[in-house]
Amino acid sequence: MRSFFFLICGCLCAINVWAQNTTSPVQDKNYHLLTLIQQDQAVKKLIQNDPVLSAFLKSKSAKITDALKNCNSDIACFSAAFKFSEDEIITVSKQLSSLFKENTPLNTMLKKQLIPSGSYSLYGHLEPVEILRKAWEQDAKAINYTIGVYVEGAKPNYPKIDSIGFNVKDKSYPELVSTNASLSLNTKNNLFFEPSMQFALIALEINERNEAADYEPMINTVNKASLSAIKKTDFGAYKYSLILAPGEGPEEQDTELSAGGMLRCRLAAEQYHKGVAPFIMVSGGRVHPYKTKYSEAYEMKKFLMNALQIPESSIIMEPHARHTTTNMRNAARIMFRYGMPMEKAALTVTIKSQSKYIRDVLLNRCIKELGYEPYRMGKRLSDTALEFYPNAMSLQVDFDEPLDP
């Protein structure tokens, strides 16, 4: 439990540092360890100067060069050159472990940045060196997963909304992959993971699947007013910390907000006007229909403000969730990062069927898909209103959901 103590004590500071780094939110969220290595100059120098990891980069670059010469139209051939094999993952794990010693930059980065971020909190019960290994393995799996789905065309967890944007059998597609491979190799790569990470990031970009970056940094954009209000709020004066309204996406391309989304807003506004909580959180990304340009949370926020006269400072946007599990998980994340009370009950309001699902089914699904429970149940107040308690474990990154990790 020692590492989880670091998480609770240091997370707000670390998250604020993360939130200010807007160079690549997609990268930060998906591959946090690798981002930290790039940013920490002392750690970066340690990795660059290590003979084993330098040889690893050289070998990986040679494989990619060979792929560019010989793969032709074979997509799997290109992917294999960039993906990390089991042997490669083990090699890096062993070498990172050998570099990890007390009073070294790697140790300092782990304790002051990586552990407090919460991105690897599933491993918080392990010794620090083991957390480092697990963090690397998680990031490597995340890169492999992205390449598998958004280069090779493998099925994602939710094919109807998250699939690749190209026909991988189209004659022109291999040229796109080859160009990506060339760009990823020719980028200034000084670290062992950079060609593969760049290949994955460009794949997301050309698929137009950078949803993880939507509205970031939210503390300076869509949630600036509400975050300022949170800092001044006496939560002891309210029964609940917030009212969560999960989104529902429309099925028509040109529909901005579904009927279900409007009704959820009205249910939330009803509770807000009763004075039970100082904030409404609207949750939902650009999900339905496939590749929609409309964000559920953004459209719900507009509806709350324009139709229901809820002040912007009372609305917290969570614009990344793609299903109910992440509605709950992302709500807990934001509550923790914004300094809202985690021991206080919150309220989720939604239509009867979804509220029943959250109460009776969702926690088991979360354990299966996320590996933990992002919330603890409270009392049922009505068919549409349900108490819940957020869990800080929700900061854990989900390696196989690159659009909302």
Side-chain angles (χ1 to χ4, degrees), residues 341-370:
M342 298 295 283
E343 72 286 352
K344 192 179 185 70
L347 200 62
T348 179
V349 294
T350 183
I351 59 172
K352 180 179 178 180
S353 59
Q354 188 181 37
S355 186
K356 187 175 188 302
Y357 180 77
I358 292 171
R359 171 78 186 190
D360 299 338
V361 179
L362 188 61
L363 280 175
N364 286 333
R365 179 179 160 192
C366 288
I367 293 170
K368 180 180 178 182
E369 295 185 14
L370 304 176

Side-chain angles (χ1 to χ4, degrees), residues 257-268:
L257 180 61
S258 70
M262 294 179 191
L263 291 173
R264 286 164 170 82
C265 286
R266 288 192 174 275
L267 287 169

Side-chain angles (χ1 to χ4, degrees), residues 29 59 205 275 300:
K29 291 181 177 183
S59 173
E205 181 180 69
M300 291 171 79

Side-chain angles (χ1 to χ4, degrees), residues 8 11 15 23 42 58 89 115 131 152 155 197 201 212 232 234 247 256 272 275 285 291 312 321 334 356 374 398 404:
I8 295 300
C11 195
I15 291 300
T23 304
K58 186 175 181 180
I89 292 173
I115 291 174
I131 296 176
E152 297 177 81
K155 279 189 176 181
M197 184 175 72
L201 290 170
K232 303 171 186 175
D234 175 11
E256 298 177 11
Y272 175 83
K291 280 195 174 183
E312 182 177 15
I334 287 181
K356 187 175 188 302
D398 195 359
D404 179 31

Side-chain angles (χ1 to χ4, degrees), residues 166 172-181 206:
F166 300 99
S172 63
Y173 182 62
E175 186 174 18
L176 294 178
V177 177
S178 176
T179 303
N180 181 1
I206 64 176

